[in-house]
Amino acid sequence: MTPNKNGTGARTTESIGDGAVMHALATRLFPINRSITGDGVRETLRIISEHLPELTMHEVSSGAKVLDWIVPPEWNVRDAFVLDPHGQKIIDFKVNNLHLVGYSEPVDRTVSLDELQEHLHSLPDQPDAIPYVTSYYERRWGFCVTEDQRSNITEKGDYTILIDSELNEDGHLTYGELIVEGASEEEVFLSTYICHPSMANNELSGPVVTTHLANWLLTEQRRYTYRIVFIPETIGAITYLSRNMDVMRERTIAGYNLTCVGDDRAYSFLPSRNGNTLSDQVALHVLGHSHPDFKHYTYLDRGSDERQYCAPGIDLPVASVMRTKYGRYAEYHTSLDDLTVVTPAGLGGAFDVLRRCLECIEANRRPRAAVLGEPQLGRRGLYPTLSTKKSAVGVRDMMNLIAYSDGDLSLLEIADHIGVPMWDLIPIVEKLENEEILTRT
Amino acid sequence: MTPNKNGTGARTTESIGDGAVMHALATRLFPINRSITGDGVRETLRIISEHLPELTMHEVSSGAKVLDWIVPPEWNVRDAFVLDPHGQKIIDFKVNNLHLVGYSEPVDRTVSLDELQEHLHSLPDQPDAIPYVTSYYERRWGFCVTEDQRSNITEKGDYTILIDSELNEDGHLTYGELIVEGASEEEVFLSTYICHPSMANNELSGPVVTTHLANWLLTEQRRYTYRIVFIPETIGAITYLSRNMDVMRERTIAGYNLTCVGDDRAYSFLPSRNGNTLSDQVALHVLGHSHPDFKHYTYLDRGSDERQYCAPGIDLPVASVMRTKYGRYAEYHTSLDDLTVVTPAGLGGAFDVLRRCLECIEANRRPRAAVLGEPQLGRRGLYPTLSTKKSAVGVRDMMNLIAYSDGDLSLLEIADHIGVPMWDLIPIVEKLENEEILTRT
Amino acid sequence: MTPNKNGTGARTTESIGDGAVMHALATRLFPINRSITGDGVRETLRIISEHLPELTMHEVSSGAKVLDWIVPPEWNVRDAFVLDPHGQKIIDFKVNNLHLVGYSEPVDRTVSLDELQEHLHSLPDQPDAIPYVTSYYERRWGFCVTEDQRSNITEKGDYTILIDSELNEDGHLTYGELIVEGASEEEVFLSTYICHPSMANNELSGPVVTTHLANWLLTEQRRYTYRIVFIPETIGAITYLSRNMDVMRERTIAGYNLTCVGDDRAYSFLPSRNGNTLSDQVALHVLGHSHPDFKHYTYLDRGSDERQYCAPGIDLPVASVMRTKYGRYAEYHTSLDDLTVVTPAGLGGAFDVLRRCLECIEANRRPRAAVLGEPQLGRRGLYPTLSTKKSAVGVRDMMNLIAYSDGDLSLLEIADHIGVPMWDLIPIVEKLENEEILTRT
C-alpha cells in the first residue's frame, strides 16, 4: 500500500505518525457534519477505513437500552437556514455546520425576530466564534452564530426557518472497532470519538492520531492485543461498554482516551480514577522524561470518556495523554477550533508520546538477576578491565538496572527509581537477557 | 421545658448552643469549690441535671482499686484562712477557693512567718494571679496567693492557720453519666471534667458545651448511641474506664474530650494517639473547612483525659477539638482564667464546630453507584439538557460525588478528595439515594 | 593486655576508640603493599590480630568458583622500577607502592619512550598525585606517576622495565573473620576491606575502626552475635558470601560496611538497597541526632561491598556510615589519600557514631505497658506529687515513652516519634521495666 494522492495513506512505515500526513487526513474529515449518530459518522468511519482497512463498523438500534441510557433516534440533516424578512439567507448550515444546534428537530415556518432570538446562541466574549451547542436528549431547535452576526439581526419582521432534519426512531448509532491480536489475550484499550462537527483539536486530532497508532501497531506482531474504538462520546462509550465490559474488565491492563492531541501548545495528562494504574505510571514516565513541563491534571478535571471507563464498577485503567486539554484553550467548542489550532507538529508530537507509551507497555517486564551478587561483567566484555577513578561511569545505568532486578520491580519502576528513561534501559535489558545475566519474568 | 429564669434552660431548640445561655450556666457554676471528689462535684452535677434531667450520678467508694490507681479519700472544705499576727484575715478561701491548695489536710495551729512561707505558692511572672495547685496523692497543706499579696506578708510573728477540711476514707468519687440511645449499638463518646474550682475555660466551658450538645442530641432520634460523661479528670477517667472499658472498646467508633472550649481566640485540634481515627478525620475536615487557620497540635502535646482513653491497650478513638488549648494561654491554671476569658462567642463557636463533627459522624456512609457508567441525569431533571461550554459547572459536586461512589470510600473521604465540605454533599447524597442512583452501604 | 609501645594496643577500655591510638595503627599498616590477594593482605591481618587475637585467617584457592566469579591468581611483588636511558631509576615501587599498576604481570626488558608512555598513568588535573590503577582480571603491566613526574620523561632512548612480580595460579585469597558470640543467634554483620595499597581513608580507616569496634564488643556479653570480616573488596565479599550466605541470610538483622571512616570533614550515610532496614533506621537516627548536617546519599551512589551484600537474592541489611564518602573527596584513589586526610578526630568520631549504632541495635525492643491507662507514678516516686502548671515538663520523655509502649512500636520508633535520641530513653525504659510498668517484648 502506498500513500494515496491526498497524502493521507498509511501502513508505509515512513508516513506513519508523520504530522503532515495526519494533518491532511484531518483536513479531509473536517467538513463532515458529525453527531452522535447519523451519516456523518458513517462517512467519517469510511474515510478512516481507507487508511485502516481492518476497521469494522457496528450499528446499534435507536431505542436500545445501554446501561442507564437509551440510544437516541438517528439524526440527519439535509439543509438548514434562516431567511431574513427580505428573503436573504442570513444563517446557513451549508456554510458551517456549527450554525445548527446539534439534534435540532425539523422546522419549516416563519417566526418573529423575538422568537428567533430565543433560538439563537452566541458568545459575547468571543464575538467572532460560532459556539457548539447540542440538545441530544430533549427536542429543541436552534442556530448558533457569532456575536458579530447576531448584532446585525435587528430588523422586525418575519424570518423563515428551515431545518430539513430527520430524527429517526428506527435509525442507528454507528461506531468503528479494530482488534489487533497480540501474543497475549491481555489487552490495551484505545478510545477516540467521532461525534463533533467541524472542530479540529477537540475531535479530529483524536481519530487521526488513533488511525496512525493503529497502523503502527499493525506493522509487527505485538505482545498485547489492542482494542481500538472510534465511537460517539458518552453514549458511544456507554453503548460499547454495555456490549463489551465483561471481557474488557477481565483483560484490559492499560488504556488511553485520545482527545485533543493536535495543537502544539502544551502536553497534558489526566489520570484514571484509580490514578496509579499501568497507564498512569507509563504516561507520567514518558511525559516526565520527554516533556517535563507537561500539565498534570487530576481526575476532578475529567470530561471525556474516562467518565465511563473509570466509573465505579467498571474501573478500567484509562488515562488521557493530551496536548492542550479540552476546556482549557480559548477556541474549545467553537468554530475557532480549526485546522490552524491543530498543526502537523502538534499531531506528530502527540503521536510520538503515545507510541512511546505503548512501546513502554510492550517492553515492560520484571527482570530478575540470574546470578547472585554482581555478575563478573569484565569477562563478558561488558565492563572495563582497567580499574581507575572513573571506570564505573560508562556502565552506570547497566549496573543500576542489575542492582534492582529482583524479579519484583518492573522495568518501568526500575527506570523511575534510577531516574532514566525506560527506553534507554530496553536495549540494555535485552542484552543482559541474551547474556543470561537477567531472566525475564 | 422552657428556659428557667436564669436563662440557662435547655432542650428548647432556640436556646441550645446559644452562647449567652451557655455563658450564664458557666457563671452559675463558677463559684463552686470543685475537686476530684466532694460536695462541689455533686452540686455541679445537680445544677447540670436541671438542664439535663436524664443525667445519672454515680458514686465510687474511696479506696476502690481502679486500674493502677486507688480512689482517694473524699475531700470537703468548710473554711480555710490565715490570720496575721494581729488577727487580720490575710488569706481567705471564702474569697477565692483557689487560695487553698487542693486536698489540703486539716490544720489548726500557729506558724512562724518562715514556716508559712514554705506553704505559700505564687507566680512571680504573673503578680496578680492566684495559681492553681493541688496535692491529691500526698498529704500536704498550703495556700496560693498572688505575688502582690505575698510581697506584703513580711511581718515576723505568729500566723494562725485554719483549714477546716476533711479527708474522708469512707467517702466517694462522684461522676455523671448519660447514655443517649441511638438506632445502633455503636457508640460515640463525649467526655468532660468537673474537678477544677473557680476557673472558666479550663473547666467550665467543657461541661457547659457538653450539656448543650447532649440536649441537641436529645432533640431527635440519632443513628449512633452517645455515651456522655462528666467526670473528675485523670482519676475519674480511670475510674470510668475500669468499669466500662470492655463495652467501650467494643462499641466506640468516635469520641471527643471536651475541654477549653470557651474562649474566642483560636480553634485547636489535638489528635488521638492513633491519629487517623474517624474522630480525627472528622475534626480535621470540619476545622479545615470552617476554621482553616486552626492550630494543629500533635499527641505529644496531650494533657487531658485522652492520656487514659488512648493509652496502649485501651485505644479509644478520642480526639480533642478546642478553642485555645490548655497550657497555651497565659491565664491557664490561675485565677485569671475567669468569665472574661470565656465568652458567649467562644462557647457558641465551639458548640457549632462540635455539633458539625457529630452531624458528619451521623451522616457518614459509603455510597455506592447503583448504575454502571454515568447515570443519565438529564431525563431525571438533574442535568441540563442543552449542552454548552459550561453545562457541567453547576452540577460538578454531584458528578464528582457519583464518580467516587464506589462503595469503598466514605462520604467523608469523598468530600476530602473532591475538596468540598461534607455538609454540602449530605443533601446531594440524600437526593441521589432517593433517585436510586446511589445506594447507602 | 596493655597498649604496646606503638600505642596501638586494644581491649583496655581506655584506649578502645581513642583516635590517636587508631591513627597509630593506621600509620603502622600504611606502607604495606596490599592487593586483593598476596602477602600484603596476610601481613595486614597479622598486625590486626596483634590487637584482636580472636581473629581467624582463611585462605581460598586461586581458581575457586565463587558465585559468578573465579578467584584470581595470587599476586606478589618483590620489586618494580623503570630505568631511564642513562640507567637512572625514575620510577620505583619501593618509594611508593602506588607506582605499580595493581596485578602487573612480570616484565624484564627495554622499551622505547613511546611504548613506555602507553603504560604510564597520571592525572593531568592533579599534577602532584599518583593515581591508583589496577587490572585484576586482564593481564597487563603499567606504572602510575604524578603528572609532574611524567612531564620530565621526554628523552628518546631505551628504558629498562623490571617488574619482579608473580601471578601464582596455585595461590590463595586471604581474609580475616571474627565471630563474637552473643546471647542470641541473630547476627549483626560488620564488613571492611584490606586490599588497597598505601591509602588511608579509602582503606585503612575501615579496618582500624573495625578492629576497635570488635574490641569494644568483646568487653562484655552482647545480646546479638557479631560477624566481623576483613576481606578484599568485591572478590572477597563474593567469596565470603559464596561460603556463608545461607546462614547470613537467615540470621542477619543489621549490618554495616565500614569504609572511609577516617577524615574529619563530614559524616555521610549510604542506605541499604531496601533502604528501610534496622541498619538504615538506626544509622539515620544516630546521625540525625548527633550530626544532623550529615550527607544523605542514595543507593544509586553505592560503590563498595553493599553492591554484593544487598544484591537481589542476597538482600542483607547492610548500610554504610561514613565520614566523607569514597569518590567524593579530591584525594580519593590517589597517593594524596594519606595520613593527613585521616585524623585522630576523624577516626574517633566515626568510632563513636558506629558504637552508638550498635548500642541502639543492642538496646532496641518493643516495650509494652504492663498497666492499662497511665500508671500512678506518684506513689512510685516517679512523678511530682504537687501538681502545678509545670509538673509534667520534667517527666515528659518518660510519659511519652509510656504513652507509646504498645508492644508494637520499637524503642527506636518511639524515639523517632517523640523526637528524642534513643540513648536518652534507654535508662528510662530500664527503670520502668524494673518497676514493672513496662514489659520487654
Side-chain angles (χ1 to χ4, degrees):
Chain A
M1 187 185 293
T2 52
N4 65 23
K5 64 180 174 176
N6 293 320
T8 56
R11 197 69 51 84
T12 51
T13 304
E14 67 272 22
S15 71
I16 293 175
D18 181 289
V21 173
M22 290 190 282
H23 198 267
L25 176 56
T27 304
R28 188 170 167 209
L29 295 168
F30 190 78
I32 299 168
N33 184 46
R34 281 166 295 274
S35 183
I36 55 174
T37 62
D39 289 333
V41 179
R42 291 188 191 93
E43 174 65 4
T44 298
L45 290 173
R46 195 194 60 70
I47 292 171
I48 289 171
S49 69
E50 286 181 20
H51 303 269
L52 197 56
E54 297 83 353
L55 189 72
T56 59
M57 259 186 266
H58 299 257
E59 301 275 347
V60 181
S61 298
S62 296
K65 174 105 178 112
V66 287
L67 303 183
D68 191 54
W69 299 60
I70 308 283
V71 174
E74 179 177 331
W75 184 63
N76 283 294
V77 183
R78 272 171 297 271
D79 201 1
F81 55 76
V82 176
L83 303 183
D84 74 6
H86 309 286
Q88 293 290 319
K89 202 174 277 190
I90 55 171
I91 308 174
D92 186 353
F93 168 79
K94 290 186 171 166
V95 169
N96 190 322
N97 54 31
L98 287 167
H99 279 312
L100 184 63
V101 167
Y103 262 65
S104 279
E105 62 191 343
V107 179
D108 183 3
R109 63 186 176 97
T110 60
V111 299
S112 69
L113 174 62
D114 283 353
E115 186 177 353
L116 175 61
Q117 287 289 5
E118 287 169 14
H119 290 267
L120 294 186
H121 302 274
S122 62
L123 296 169
D125 292 345
Q126 291 180 282
D128 59 342
I130 308 167
Y132 169 54
V133 178
T134 65
S135 181
Y136 300 134
Y137 299 101
E138 181 154 314
R139 288 191 76 136
R140 278 198 182 87
W141 65 268
F143 286 89
C144 301
V145 292
T146 68
E147 187 69 12
D148 291 341
Q149 212 174 349
R150 187 174 197 157
S151 65
N152 288 324
I153 304 176
T154 56
E155 190 180 348
K156 300 276 181 189
D158 287 344
Y159 288 80
T160 301
I161 309 299
L162 182 96
I163 301 177
D164 183 8
S165 69
E166 187 182 14
L167 283 161
N168 185 357
E169 303 281 352
D170 295 324
H172 294 83
L173 176 152
T174 311
Y175 67 84
E177 180 192 47
L178 167 59
I179 308 290
V180 181
E181 302 278 358
S184 164
E185 275 203 339
E186 288 187 310
E187 291 184 2
V188 177
F189 179 52
L190 301 179
S191 179
T192 193
Y193 49 83
I194 41 148
C195 58
H196 291 67
S198 298
M199 287 177 291
N201 199 25
N202 187 27
E203 173 103 353
L204 289 173
S205 65
V208 162
V209 169
T210 304
T211 298
H212 278 246
L213 284 172
N215 273 295
W216 172 76
L217 288 167
L218 286 161
T219 55
E220 58 181 76
Q221 171 71 24
R222 302 293 169 181
R223 174 177 174 196
Y224 293 114
T225 293
Y226 287 79
R227 180 182 295 267
I228 305 169
V229 298
F230 299 76
I231 52 166
E233 207 177 10
T234 304
I235 186 68
I238 286 167
T239 298
Y240 192 81
L241 285 172
S242 76
R243 297 175 147 209
N244 298 282
M245 68 185 167
D246 289 345
V247 68
M248 290 172 77
R249 277 193 296 218
E250 193 183 319
R251 296 183 184 171
T252 308
I253 62 156
Y256 296 102
N257 185 54
L258 280 92
T259 170
C260 295
V261 287
D263 68 285
D264 53 19
R265 298 163 178 174
Y267 286 91
S268 307
F269 172 69
L270 189 136
S272 72
R273 187 168 75 94
N274 173 304
N276 196 28
T277 69
L278 180 59
S279 319
D280 297 293
Q281 291 167 4
V282 165
L284 287 168
H285 182 84
V286 172
L287 286 170
H289 280 282
S290 60
H291 303 284
D293 56 345
F294 76 95
K295 175 89 177 123
H296 193 154
Y297 290 95
T298 79
Y299 191 67
L300 297 178
D301 301 305
R302 73 196 177 283
S304 184
D305 282 333
E306 69 284 343
R307 288 155 41 206
Q308 315 310 326
Y309 300 136
C310 301
I314 294 177
D315 297 312
L316 294 175
V318 175
S320 300
V321 172
M322 295 168 281
R323 302 300 307 247
T324 304
K325 183 182 164 288
Y326 44 81
R328 300 297 176 113
Y329 58 102
E331 301 89 344
Y332 171 71
H333 268 198
T334 75
S335 56
L336 304 182
D337 185 353
D338 61 19
L339 291 157
T340 63
V341 172
V342 166
T343 66
L347 293 162
F351 176 88
D352 289 345
V353 166
L354 283 154
R355 189 201 57 206
R356 192 144 253 174
C357 288
L358 301 182
E359 285 171 337
C360 287
I361 290 169
E362 286 275 315
N364 202 28
R365 69 261 249 164
R366 301 186 188 280
R368 181 189 298 275
V371 297
L372 286 169
E374 285 188 337
Q376 192 177 13
L377 296 165
R379 66 171 155 89
R380 295 174 174 96
L382 296 173
Y383 199 92
T385 53
L386 189 75
S387 175
T388 66
K389 262 188 163 183
K390 312 222 162 159
S391 309
V393 174
V395 291
R396 194 189 51 199
D397 289 350
M398 179 178 65
M399 298 311 290
N400 282 336
L401 167 60
I402 294 171
Y404 284 100
S405 288
D406 59 7
D408 186 28
L409 293 170
S410 70
L411 193 59
L412 176 65
E413 290 165 329
I414 294 171
D416 275 337
H417 198 80
I418 71 180
V420 300
M422 181 173 156
W423 47 95
D424 284 357
L425 296 185
I426 295 173
I428 301 174
V429 77
E430 288 171 353
K431 184 164 65 178
L432 294 172
E433 286 169 354
N434 288 340
E435 293 282 347
E436 297 184 351
I437 290 168
L438 299 182
T439 52
R440 183 170 178 163
T441 59
Chain B
M1 189 184 294
T2 52
N4 65 23
K5 63 181 173 173
N6 293 321
T8 57
R11 196 68 53 83
T12 52
T13 303
E14 66 271 22
S15 71
I16 294 175
D18 180 290
V21 173
M22 290 191 282
H23 197 267
L25 177 56
T27 303
R28 190 172 165 206
L29 295 168
F30 191 78
I32 299 167
N33 184 46
R34 281 166 294 273
S35 183
I36 56 173
T37 62
D39 290 331
V41 180
R42 291 187 190 93
E43 174 65 3
T44 298
L45 291 172
R46 194 195 59 71
I47 292 171
I48 289 172
S49 70
E50 285 181 21
H51 302 269
L52 197 56
E54 296 83 354
L55 189 72
T56 60
M57 260 186 265
H58 299 258
E59 300 276 347
V60 181
S61 298
S62 297
K65 173 106 178 114
V66 288
L67 303 182
D68 190 54
W69 299 60
I70 309 283
V71 174
E74 180 175 332
W75 183 62
N76 283 294
V77 183
R78 273 173 297 272
D79 202 359
F81 54 78
V82 177
L83 303 183
D84 73 7
H86 309 285
Q88 292 291 316
K89 201 175 276 188
I90 54 168
I91 308 175
D92 186 354
F93 168 77
K94 290 187 172 166
V95 170
N96 191 323
N97 53 32
L98 287 167
H99 278 312
L100 184 62
V101 167
Y103 263 65
S104 279
E105 61 191 343
V107 179
D108 183 3
R109 61 184 177 100
T110 59
V111 299
S112 68
L113 174 61
D114 283 352
E115 187 176 353
L116 174 60
Q117 287 289 6
E118 287 168 15
H119 290 268
L120 294 186
H121 303 272
S122 61
L123 296 168
D125 292 345
Q126 292 180 284
D128 59 343
I130 308 167
Y132 169 54
V133 178
T134 66
S135 181
Y136 301 135
Y137 299 101
E138 181 152 315
R139 288 190 78 138
R140 277 199 183 86
W141 66 267
F143 286 90
C144 301
V145 291
T146 68
E147 189 68 13
D148 291 341
Q149 213 174 346
R150 186 174 200 160
S151 65
N152 289 323
I153 304 175
T154 56
E155 192 180 346
K156 300 275 182 191
D158 287 342
Y159 288 80
T160 303
I161 309 298
L162 182 96
I163 302 177
D164 183 6
S165 70
E166 188 182 16
L167 283 162
N168 185 355
E169 303 282 353
D170 296 323
H172 294 83
L173 175 152
T174 311
Y175 67 83
E177 180 193 48
L178 167 59
I179 308 289
V180 180
E181 302 276 358
S184 163
E185 275 202 340
E186 289 186 310
E187 292 184 1
V188 177
F189 179 52
L190 301 178
S191 179
T192 193
Y193 49 82
I194 41 148
C195 57
H196 291 67
S198 297
M199 287 177 290
N201 199 25
N202 186 26
E203 172 104 354
L204 290 172
S205 65
V208 161
V209 169
T210 304
T211 299
H212 277 244
L213 284 171
N215 272 295
W216 171 76
L217 287 167
L218 286 161
T219 55
E220 58 181 77
Q221 171 70 25
R222 301 293 169 182
R223 174 177 173 195
Y224 294 114
T225 292
Y226 288 77
R227 180 181 296 266
I228 305 169
V229 298
F230 299 75
I231 52 167
E233 205 178 10
T234 304
I235 185 66
I238 285 166
T239 299
Y240 193 81
L241 284 172
S242 76
R243 299 174 145 211
N244 298 282
M245 70 185 166
D246 289 345
V247 68
M248 290 171 76
R249 277 194 294 219
E250 191 183 321
R251 295 184 185 171
T252 309
I253 61 158
Y256 296 102
N257 185 54
L258 279 92
T259 170
C260 296
V261 286
D263 69 285
D264 54 18
R265 298 163 179 174
Y267 285 91
S268 307
F269 171 70
L270 189 137
S272 72
R273 186 168 74 96
N274 172 303
N276 195 29
T277 69
L278 180 59
S279 318
D280 297 293
Q281 292 168 3
V282 164
L284 287 169
H285 182 84
V286 171
L287 286 170
H289 280 282
S290 61
H291 303 285
D293 55 346
F294 75 96
K295 175 88 176 123
H296 193 154
Y297 290 96
T298 80
Y299 191 67
L300 298 178
D301 301 305
R302 72 196 178 284
S304 184
D305 281 333
E306 68 285 343
R307 286 157 40 208
Q308 314 312 325
Y309 300 137
C310 301
I314 295 178
D315 297 312
L316 294 175
V318 174
S320 300
V321 172
M322 295 167 281
R323 301 301 306 250
T324 304
K325 183 182 164 290
Y326 43 82
R328 301 295 176 114
Y329 58 101
E331 301 91 344
Y332 171 71
H333 268 198
T334 76
S335 57
L336 304 181
D337 185 353
D338 62 17
L339 291 156
T340 64
V341 172
V342 166
T343 66
L347 294 161
F351 176 88
D352 289 345
V353 165
L354 283 154
R355 188 201 57 205
R356 191 144 255 174
C357 289
L358 301 182
E359 286 172 337
C360 287
I361 291 169
E362 287 274 315
N364 202 27
R365 70 262 248 165
R366 300 188 188 276
R368 182 190 297 275
V371 297
L372 285 169
E374 284 188 338
Q376 192 177 13
L377 296 164
R379 66 171 155 86
R380 295 174 174 95
L382 296 173
Y383 199 93
T385 54
L386 189 74
S387 174
T388 68
K389 263 188 165 184
K390 312 221 162 157
S391 308
V393 175
V395 292
R396 194 190 50 198
D397 289 350
M398 178 177 67
M399 298 311 290
N400 281 337
L401 168 60
I402 294 170
Y404 284 100
S405 288
D406 59 8
D408 186 28
L409 293 169
S410 71
L411 193 59
L412 177 65
E413 290 166 328
I414 294 171
D416 276 337
H417 197 83
I418 71 180
V420 300
M422 181 172 156
W423 46 94
D424 285 357
L425 295 185
I426 295 173
I428 301 174
V429 77
E430 288 172 352
K431 183 164 67 177
L432 294 172
E433 287 169 354
N434 289 339
E435 292 282 346
E436 299 184 348
I437 290 168
L438 298 182
T439 52
R440 183 168 178 165
T441 57
Chain C
M1 187 184 295
T2 53
N4 64 22
K5 62 179 174 176
N6 294 321
T8 57
R11 195 69 52 84
T12 52
T13 303
E14 65 272 23
S15 71
I16 294 175
D18 181 289
V21 173
M22 290 191 283
H23 197 267
L25 177 56
T27 303
R28 189 169 166 210
L29 295 168
F30 191 79
I32 300 168
N33 184 47
R34 281 167 293 274
S35 184
I36 55 174
T37 61
D39 289 332
V41 179
R42 290 188 190 91
E43 173 66 2
T44 299
L45 291 173
R46 193 195 60 70
I47 292 172
I48 289 172
S49 70
E50 286 181 20
H51 304 267
L52 197 56
E54 297 83 354
L55 189 71
T56 59
M57 259 186 267
H58 299 258
E59 301 276 347
V60 181
S61 299
S62 296
K65 173 107 178 111
V66 288
L67 303 183
D68 190 54
W69 299 59
I70 310 282
V71 174
E74 180 177 332
W75 184 62
N76 283 294
V77 183
R78 273 173 295 271
D79 201 359
F81 54 78
V82 177
L83 303 182
D84 72 9
H86 309 285
Q88 293 291 316
K89 201 174 277 188
I90 55 169
I91 308 174
D92 186 354
F93 168 77
K94 289 186 172 166
V95 171
N96 190 323
N97 53 31
L98 287 166
H99 279 313
L100 184 63
V101 167
Y103 263 66
S104 279
E105 61 191 345
V107 179
D108 182 3
R109 61 185 177 101
T110 59
V111 300
S112 69
L113 175 63
D114 283 352
E115 187 176 353
L116 175 62
Q117 287 289 4
E118 286 169 16
H119 290 268
L120 294 186
H121 303 273
S122 62
L123 296 169
D125 292 345
Q126 292 180 283
D128 59 343
I130 309 168
Y132 169 54
V133 178
T134 66
S135 181
Y136 301 134
Y137 299 103
E138 181 153 314
R139 287 189 79 134
R140 279 199 181 85
W141 65 269
F143 286 90
C144 301
V145 291
T146 69
E147 188 69 13
D148 291 341
Q149 212 173 348
R150 185 173 200 161
S151 65
N152 289 324
I153 305 175
T154 55
E155 191 180 347
K156 299 275 182 190
D158 287 343
Y159 288 80
T160 302
I161 309 296
L162 181 96
I163 302 178
D164 183 7
S165 68
E166 187 181 16
L167 282 161
N168 184 358
E169 302 281 353
D170 295 325
H172 294 84
L173 175 151
T174 311
Y175 66 84
E177 180 192 49
L178 168 60
I179 308 288
V180 181
E181 302 277 357
S184 164
E185 277 203 337
E186 289 186 311
E187 293 184 2
V188 177
F189 179 53
L190 300 179
S191 179
T192 194
Y193 50 81
I194 40 146
C195 56
H196 291 67
S198 298
M199 288 177 289
N201 199 25
N202 188 26
E203 173 104 352
L204 290 172
S205 64
V208 161
V209 169
T210 304
T211 299
H212 278 244
L213 284 171
N215 273 295
W216 171 76
L217 288 166
L218 286 161
T219 55
E220 58 181 78
Q221 169 71 24
R222 302 294 170 181
R223 174 178 173 195
Y224 294 113
T225 292
Y226 287 77
R227 179 182 295 267
I228 305 169
V229 299
F230 299 75
I231 52 169
E233 207 178 9
T234 304
I235 186 68
I238 286 167
T239 298
Y240 193 81
L241 284 171
S242 76
R243 299 173 145 213
N244 298 282
M245 71 184 165
D246 289 345
V247 68
M248 291 172 76
R249 275 193 297 218
E250 191 183 320
R251 296 184 183 171
T252 308
I253 63 157
Y256 295 102
N257 185 54
L258 279 92
T259 170
C260 295
V261 287
D263 68 287
D264 55 17
R265 298 163 177 173
Y267 285 92
S268 307
F269 171 70
L270 189 138
S272 72
R273 186 168 75 95
N274 172 305
N276 196 28
T277 69
L278 180 59
S279 319
D280 298 292
Q281 292 167 5
V282 164
L284 287 168
H285 182 84
V286 172
L287 287 170
H289 281 283
S290 61
H291 303 285
D293 56 345
F294 75 96
K295 174 86 176 126
H296 193 154
Y297 290 95
T298 80
Y299 191 67
L300 297 180
D301 301 306
R302 73 196 176 285
S304 184
D305 281 333
E306 69 285 344
R307 287 157 40 209
Q308 315 311 326
Y309 300 136
C310 301
I314 294 177
D315 296 312
L316 294 175
V318 174
S320 300
V321 172
M322 295 167 281
R323 301 301 307 248
T324 304
K325 184 183 164 289
Y326 43 81
R328 300 297 175 113
Y329 59 100
E331 301 89 346
Y332 171 72
H333 268 198
T334 75
S335 56
L336 304 181
D337 185 354
D338 62 17
L339 291 157
T340 64
V341 172
V342 166
T343 67
L347 294 162
F351 176 88
D352 289 345
V353 165
L354 283 154
R355 189 201 57 206
R356 191 143 255 172
C357 288
L358 301 183
E359 286 172 336
C360 286
I361 290 169
E362 286 275 315
N364 201 28
R365 69 264 248 165
R366 300 185 188 280
R368 182 190 297 275
V371 297
L372 285 169
E374 284 188 338
Q376 193 178 12
L377 297 165
R379 65 172 157 87
R380 296 175 174 94
L382 297 172
Y383 199 93
T385 54
L386 189 73
S387 174
T388 67
K389 261 187 165 185
K390 312 222 160 155
S391 308
V393 175
V395 291
R396 193 191 51 197
D397 289 349
M398 178 177 66
M399 298 311 291
N400 282 337
L401 168 59
I402 295 171
Y404 284 99
S405 289
D406 58 8
D408 186 29
L409 293 169
S410 71
L411 192 59
L412 176 65
E413 290 166 328
I414 293 171
D416 275 337
H417 197 81
I418 72 181
V420 301
M422 183 172 154
W423 47 94
D424 285 357
L425 296 186
I426 295 173
I428 302 175
V429 77
E430 288 172 352
K431 184 164 66 176
L432 294 172
E433 286 169 354
N434 289 340
E435 292 282 347
E436 298 185 350
I437 290 167
L438 298 182
T439 53
R440 183 168 179 164
T441 58

